[in-house]
Amino acid sequence: CLSKSYRHKNKIIHGYNQPRMWAQYSRNHEGFCFELDLEMLIKKITASFPNDFIKFENVNYEPNLEKLNHP
């Protein structure tokens, strides 16, 4: 997971501080966390792939989307 930190009610919520995520993805809180410098990561990736289209953006989830009907 590449969860970002965010501000909520004048308090910073760190991206790694998500108990449910740790329970599901790290063998019930036995895992570890990498912290990445996002600016450095973007620079390294774009330098490594100068001719490729690479896009970095936030993902916004919508809670009440209609279900798609597949034929």
Side-chain angles (χ1 to χ4, degrees):
C1 177
L2 297 175
S3 296
K4 293 176 67 175
S5 299
Y6 59 95
R7 183 177 299 279
H8 178 70
K9 296 183 180 180
N10 293 323
K11 182 178 178 183
I12 295 178
I13 307 298
H14 295 285
Y16 58 80
N17 191 15
Q18 306 293 332
R20 184 174 168 107
M21 177 180 69
W22 283 102
Q24 290 180 327
Y25 299 116
S26 68
R27 292 188 180 173
N28 205 21
H29 305 275
E30 296 178 357
F32 59 92
C33 176
F34 286 105
E35 185 172 349
L36 303 173
D37 181 327
L38 182 59
E39 290 181 22
M40 182 184 294
L41 179 64
I42 290 170
K43 286 179 185 176
K44 294 281 186 180
I45 290 172
T46 53
S48 297
F49 304 97
N51 298 320
D52 293 334
F53 176 75
I54 299 171
K55 183 176 182 180
F56 294 91
E57 63 182 22
N58 290 333
V59 175
N60 296 313
Y61 296 97
E62 297 293 335
N64 297 316
L65 293 178
E66 293 181 27
K67 292 183 179 181
L68 296 175
N69 291 323
H70 295 283

